[in-house]
Amino acid sequence: MNRHSIFFKLNLIFLFSLATLIAFFVMMVREIQTQELRLLEKKVVTSESEIRKIIIHDGKNLEESFRSKGYRPIEDPSAIRAKLKPIFQHPPASFPETLQERIHDGRLKIYRDGNHLYFELIGPTHSRMISTPIDAYRPKWIALFFGSMIGVVLLLYWTMRRSLIPLKTLATQIRRFGEGDMTISTRSDKKDEIAYVANQFDAAVKKIKAMKEARTLFMRNIMHELKTPITKGKLSVALIEEGVEAEILRRAFSRMEELIQEMAQIELITSQSLELKMQKCDLETIVENVATLLFVEPERIKLSCHPCSIVADCDLITIVLKNLIDNAFKYGTDKRVDLCYRKDVLEVINKGAPLAQSFERMIEPFAKGSPSGSKESFGLGLYIVKSILDAHGAELSHRYEKGRHHFVITGLKPAR
């Protein structure tokens, strides 16, 4: 069991409380037994002394004398002796010496039952048994009190455990939500704090779901509405005579088309509609495809790898490397990119000036790497890269050393 679990701590508190109650009850019982034993010792000393005085001074009318003093002679001791419990067979130190001697010599035997003491006086020819009532020190409230306390502890434990059970359901629903399931519901009709948290989380899920649906609808509408005028614009540009204006319009429409494609990629990735097709990917083949997509000579991308295969979605990893290498060419100073894959770490390296802003800001959407904004970029490349790597369980980091940028990818699984 998890030692940090609330249920583990609740069980621990319950067991500790129960053990404390039982230990306290045992101590109380022992204290009661000790008090009862002390009372019995005093009763035995007093009664034995009185019985001897009656026998010595009232030898002729013993039965009347015994009864007048609250004692009762037993006519047939052998009939009840088997039902009695012998006590003080080893007399305590608090007994007078004469009483101890009589017990040791066997001239006196002491018994008891629930409510009486029995003194058996054993003589050379016959024996006599005398009984006297005792007031046992047995407070009934002790058992009732401890029984009630244990009942209360058990009731509290059951109630608290029952109240905490919805936490497991809530944790399961939160895990499903983290995996992208927007159909969950944690609504609760209870009035405790857990129900309050569950209802607040349920409201947040519904709000996020509504925002996500609105964003998706907005993105799709924008892309749909833009495609038609862009297509018409490109057709119109084709009819215009070649010139500076035509080239400017052609480039503008091409960049708008690229923006729509990148927005479509973002919508697919961030909506968690992306299903990874994990397979063995050859890095050399991916680099060749990237060079083709970017219209650059393969020699400008130098790959050093060992091993040269990973397990991932090959198409998406191609997009990752395309965006990183494209940025390296746009913002680099020597128009050359080095790729290095060693010990499960993939690095994209290029020379260039330091980043204009922090790396954390750069991976946000629509962040640009050029301080002047003169480079043609919508600032979505690194955001797409990070989103794809997140889907793979990998991470992207950056460091700048000796005039070279190192974009580092960790967490990709090598092909064994």
Side-chain angles (χ1 to χ4, degrees):
M1 183 179 288
N2 182 8
R3 293 181 299 144
H4 303 288
S5 167
I6 294 178
F7 289 93
F8 176 80
K9 294 174 183 177
L10 178 62
N11 292 338
L12 201 62
I13 291 172
F14 166 71
L15 292 175
F16 176 77
S17 302
L18 199 60
T20 302
L21 277 175
I22 292 173
F24 191 52
F25 178 71
V26 170
M27 290 172 61
M28 289 293 295
V29 169
R30 288 182 178 176
E31 180 62 24
I32 291 170
Q33 291 175 343
T34 302
Q35 294 293 335
E36 185 179 23
L37 184 61
R38 289 174 183 172
L39 290 175
L40 284 176
E41 289 177 5
K42 292 179 181 179
K43 183 70 174 179
V44 166
V45 172
T46 303
S47 299
E48 192 274 338
S49 177
E50 287 184 350
I51 290 171
R52 281 194 294 111
K53 287 180 181 179
I54 292 172
I55 292 174
I56 293 172
H57 298 293
D58 302 322
K60 295 181 179 180
N61 300 313
L62 287 178
E63 287 201 17
E64 291 184 9
S65 299
F66 280 134
R67 293 184 187 282
S68 66
K69 297 291 185 179
Y71 297 95
R72 182 172 66 88
I74 305 300
E75 295 180 0
D76 187 7
S78 61
I80 66 169
R81 189 181 291 113
K83 301 178 182 179
L84 303 177
K85 176 184 177 182
I87 60 173
F88 299 125
Q89 293 173 304
H90 302 284
S94 62
F95 281 7
E97 290 185 8
T98 54
L99 179 56
Q100 293 186 40
E101 289 176 1
R102 294 184 63 181
I103 295 174
H104 282 306
D105 295 343
R107 289 177 290 161
L108 175 64
K109 292 185 178 179
I110 306 172
Y111 304 91
R112 70 164 295 181
D113 60 12
N115 299 306
H116 292 83
L117 276 176
Y118 297 85
F119 296 88
E120 186 176 15
L121 310 174
I122 301 173
T125 57
H126 69 281
S127 62
R128 185 189 301 274
M129 183 176 284
I130 311 296
S131 74
T132 181
I134 56 175
D135 295 326
Y137 183 71
R138 296 172 187 170
K140 296 182 179 180
W141 65 268
I142 297 291
L144 182 62
F145 172 75
F146 279 99
S148 302
M149 289 298 295
I150 289 176
V152 168
V153 170
L154 287 172
L155 181 62
L156 287 174
Y157 172 74
W158 178 79
T159 304
M160 292 179 66
R161 188 172 181 85
R162 187 178 178 185
S163 298
L164 290 173
I165 285 176
L167 276 178
K168 293 184 177 180
T169 303
L170 181 59
T172 301
Q173 298 291 66
I174 291 174
R175 177 181 55 78
R176 288 176 56 193
F177 176 73
E179 293 172 354
D181 186 356
M182 289 288 180
T183 63
I184 66 167
S185 176
T186 59
R187 190 70 187 170
S188 175
D189 295 328
K190 296 182 179 180
K191 305 298 181 181
D192 56 18
E193 289 80 359
I194 297 176
Y196 176 78
V197 173
N199 290 335
Q200 292 296 317
F201 180 74
D202 186 73
V205 169
K206 287 182 171 59
K207 185 175 181 180
I208 292 171
K209 182 180 179 181
M211 292 172 61
K212 184 176 179 181
E213 290 174 351
R215 179 186 63 91
T216 301
L217 182 61
F218 176 73
M219 292 284 286
R220 288 175 179 173
N221 283 339
I222 285 181
M223 288 186 288
H224 176 73
E225 293 298 327
L226 287 177
K227 282 182 179 179
T228 301
I230 289 174
T231 302
K232 290 181 179 179
K234 292 180 70 174
L235 290 174
S236 299
V237 170
L239 301 176
I240 299 176
E241 294 183 3
E242 290 295 330
V244 176
E245 293 82 1
E247 180 62 24
I248 292 175
L249 288 173
R250 190 178 295 109
R251 290 176 58 189
F253 285 123
S254 296
R255 294 303 293 161
M256 290 178 68
E257 209 167 37
E258 290 177 14
L259 176 59
I260 290 176
Q261 292 174 356
E262 292 191 1
M263 289 173 68
Q265 290 178 345
I266 291 175
E267 195 277 331
L268 183 64
I269 294 167
T270 58
S271 65
Q272 297 183 350
S273 301
L274 190 65
E275 293 184 3
L276 299 180
K277 299 177 182 178
M278 304 297 284
Q279 56 186 310
K280 184 177 180 180
C281 306
D282 180 62
L283 290 176
E284 294 179 343
T285 302
I286 290 176
V287 169
E288 290 176 2
N289 293 336
V290 169
T292 301
L293 291 172
L294 295 177
F295 300 101
V296 298
E297 299 81 3
E299 295 79 16
R300 294 174 60 186
I301 306 174
K302 181 181 178 182
L303 173 64
S304 172
C305 56
H306 182 74
C308 289
S309 298
I310 59 174
V311 176
D313 187 310
C314 301
D315 292 336
L316 293 179
I317 293 300
T318 300
I319 294 174
V320 167
L321 292 181
K322 179 185 79 69
N323 287 345
L324 290 176
I325 293 172
D326 187 33
N327 281 344
F329 284 137
K330 285 179 180 178
Y331 303 110
T333 57
D334 61 352
K335 304 303 179 183
R336 175 187 174 87
V337 179
D338 293 326
L339 264 70
C340 177
Y341 184 59
R342 294 281 190 279
K343 298 180 180 180
D344 304 341
V345 177
L346 177 61
E347 293 190 45
V348 179
I349 307 168
N350 70 283
K351 290 184 179 180
L355 295 179
Q357 47 197 325
S358 68
F359 175 70
E360 290 72 18
R361 176 68 184 89
M362 293 290 297
I363 59 179
E364 295 178 4
F366 301 105
K368 295 189 176 183
S370 172
S372 63
S374 59
K375 299 288 184 180
E376 293 184 356
S377 171
F378 296 113
L380 296 172
L382 289 181
Y383 179 70
I384 294 174
V385 168
K386 182 181 181 302
S387 299
I388 293 174
L389 293 179
D390 286 344
H392 281 79
E395 293 183 1
L396 176 68
S397 60
H398 172 268
R399 71 176 188 274
Y400 186 71
E401 292 180 351
K402 300 178 180 179
R404 295 167 69 88
H405 292 280
H406 295 254
F407 288 89
V408 183
I409 300 174
T410 56
L412 293 176
K413 296 179 181 179
R416 302 299 183 187

